Amino acid sequence: DISDLSLKELNYAKNEIYARHGRKFKSAELQEYFDSKSWYEGKYEGTDFDKNYSDRLLSEIEKKNAEFLSSAEKSMSENGYVLDQ
């Protein structure tokens, strides 16, 4: 249930799906956040991950969850959570 999540928490939850598969982030805010997690191991640059790995590394459930979280984020704010502020 995501009804009590803030805009920031929705964004982080969405990006955690990618982070758990080794995606690195251009956003210093996100990169620092995931670097602080014991389970995180950044392996793939963001554009490389998006282009070459996301389709085969993410399960269908993870893809749908990321889409759902992104939609919820944009329903709270047209541009979603603004990183690095």
Side-chain angles (χ1 to χ4, degrees), residues 22-81:
R23 188 187 193 282
K24 295 180 183 178
F25 300 92
K26 286 185 182 179
S27 161
E29 178 182 346
L30 283 179
Q31 192 61 54
E32 288 172 14
Y33 175 77
F34 289 115
D35 281 341
S36 75
K37 304 300 176 193
S38 62
W39 51 262
Y40 178 71
E41 184 180 338
K43 298 177 189 175
Y44 310 105
E45 295 301 324
T47 53
D48 189 34
F49 179 87
D50 297 344
K51 183 178 177 184
N52 299 311
Y53 296 100
S54 66
D55 278 345
R56 68 176 196 226
L57 291 178
L58 298 177
S59 71
E60 289 305 311
I61 291 172
E62 288 171 318
K63 290 175 190 175
K64 294 219 183 269
N65 285 343
E67 290 172 15
F68 175 71
L69 291 165
S70 180
S71 177
E73 180 184 358
K74 290 186 176 157
S75 75
M76 289 180 75
S77 173
E78 185 177 326
N79 296 320
Y81 177 70

